[in-house]
Amino acid sequence: GVCTFRRESSNGVINNKKLIAEPFNIYVFKRPYQEKIGDSRLMFQAGSLDFLARCDFDFNKSIKHGVSYLTTKQSLVAREWLKEEEKKVRELGIYSPG
C-alpha cells in the first residue's frame, strides 16, 4: 500500500506537531497474457493464506480489481509482439496513427 501524510490544521492554522496519515491499499495481480508472453504460476504458503483469510483479506477483490503488471522480460516480449502486430496492420493499409 501507500500512505500519504499531511499536517493537521485547524481554522487555517497548521499544527506542525501533528500529522494525519491516509493509507491506501493497492491490490496487485499478475494476470495471464497472450500465450507468446507466457502464463505465470502463483505459489502460496498455507500459513500466509490462513493469515490473510483470518484478517478478512478479500481474495476475489485482489484478483478481479488488482493492478496488472508484467516482469521486465515479459514486457520486452510484449513490446516485440505488439510491434509485429502493428507492422502487419500497416501492411494491410488500415493503420492511421493518431
Side-chain angles (χ1 to χ4, degrees):
V2 176
C3 192
T4 62
F5 294 87
R6 62 182 168 85
R7 297 191 191 284
E8 182 183 64
S9 64
S10 177
N11 297 326
V13 177
I14 296 174
N15 180 349
N16 286 321
K17 295 183 180 181
K18 191 167 183 182
L19 295 175
I20 306 295
E22 295 184 62
F24 300 90
N25 292 321
I26 301 170
Y27 294 97
V28 294
F29 183 70
K30 191 168 186 174
R31 299 188 192 298
Y33 286 95
Q34 301 287 335
E35 290 178 18
K36 296 192 185 260
I37 299 171
D39 201 352
S40 306
R41 292 182 187 261
L42 299 177
M43 297 177 64
F44 301 95
Q45 293 178 316
S48 296
L49 291 178
D50 181 60
F51 169 79
L52 291 170
R54 282 187 284 116
C55 293
D56 296 323
F57 182 81
D58 190 341
F59 294 94
N60 289 329
K61 185 175 184 179
S62 176
I63 293 169
K64 186 174 181 182
H65 300 291
V67 176
S68 302
Y69 66 95
L70 294 173
T71 64
T72 302
K73 183 179 177 181
Q74 288 174 324
S75 177
L76 293 172
V77 172
R79 287 173 193 252
E80 283 304 312
W81 179 79
L82 287 170
K83 284 179 186 177
E84 290 172 17
E85 293 300 305
E86 182 180 334
K87 183 179 175 183
K88 290 176 189 175
V89 171
R90 283 179 190 249
E91 289 171 357
L92 292 173
I94 56 175
Y95 177 78
S96 59

